[in-house]
Amino acid sequence: PGWLLSPAGRPYLDSILHKNQRRAFGLLERPALPPALAVPIVTYKLFLVGRSGVGKTALVAWLGGTPAPPAHHETLGIEATTLFWPAKPRTSGRPVLFQLHLWD
């Protein structure tokens, strides 16, 4: 769990942060990594569905590192958010970069 804060994981974390906050990426953007640190990108599309007011938008905001809306406002239509999450699976010695497309 502490791999991101270790010297080996810190460059991957720095690639997704801007001023110590998680950087928002567009649909066609991705973190810039030096060629020596190039890793495979694993893409997942997550569709969040549920009753109104249960916290779907707040969950996406929390994962994205942005403050959750203070008051309940119904999301009209679908709101898409792209997040990148560096990780080092235990079964593999090589880091991967998860690209999460969250549809709320």
Side-chain angles (χ1 to χ4, degrees):
W3 173 78
L4 276 178
L5 300 177
S6 73
R10 191 66 198 189
Y12 299 99
L13 181 61
D14 290 341
S15 72
I16 64 168
L17 294 179
H18 177 70
K19 296 183 181 177
N20 286 334
Q21 292 197 344
R22 187 176 286 272
R23 182 173 168 236
F25 291 93
L27 289 175
L28 300 177
E29 293 179 306
R30 60 182 51 187
L33 288 169
L37 296 176
V39 293
I41 295 177
V42 180
T43 303
Y44 286 100
K45 187 180 289 187
L46 304 171
F47 184 70
L48 302 172
V49 64
R51 296 185 130 181
S52 177
V54 297
K56 299 177 296 291
T57 302
L59 174 65
V60 171
W62 179 75
L63 287 172
T66 59
H72 170 67
H73 296 286
E74 188 172 326
T75 304
L76 300 174
I78 294 175
E79 197 172 303
T81 305
T82 302
L83 297 176
F84 285 90
W85 205 287
K88 185 174 179 185
R90 290 183 186 184
T91 57
S92 162
R94 186 166 184 203
V96 296
L97 191 62
F98 289 104
Q99 180 180 16
L100 305 175
H101 296 284
L102 301 167
W103 289 30
D104 170 28

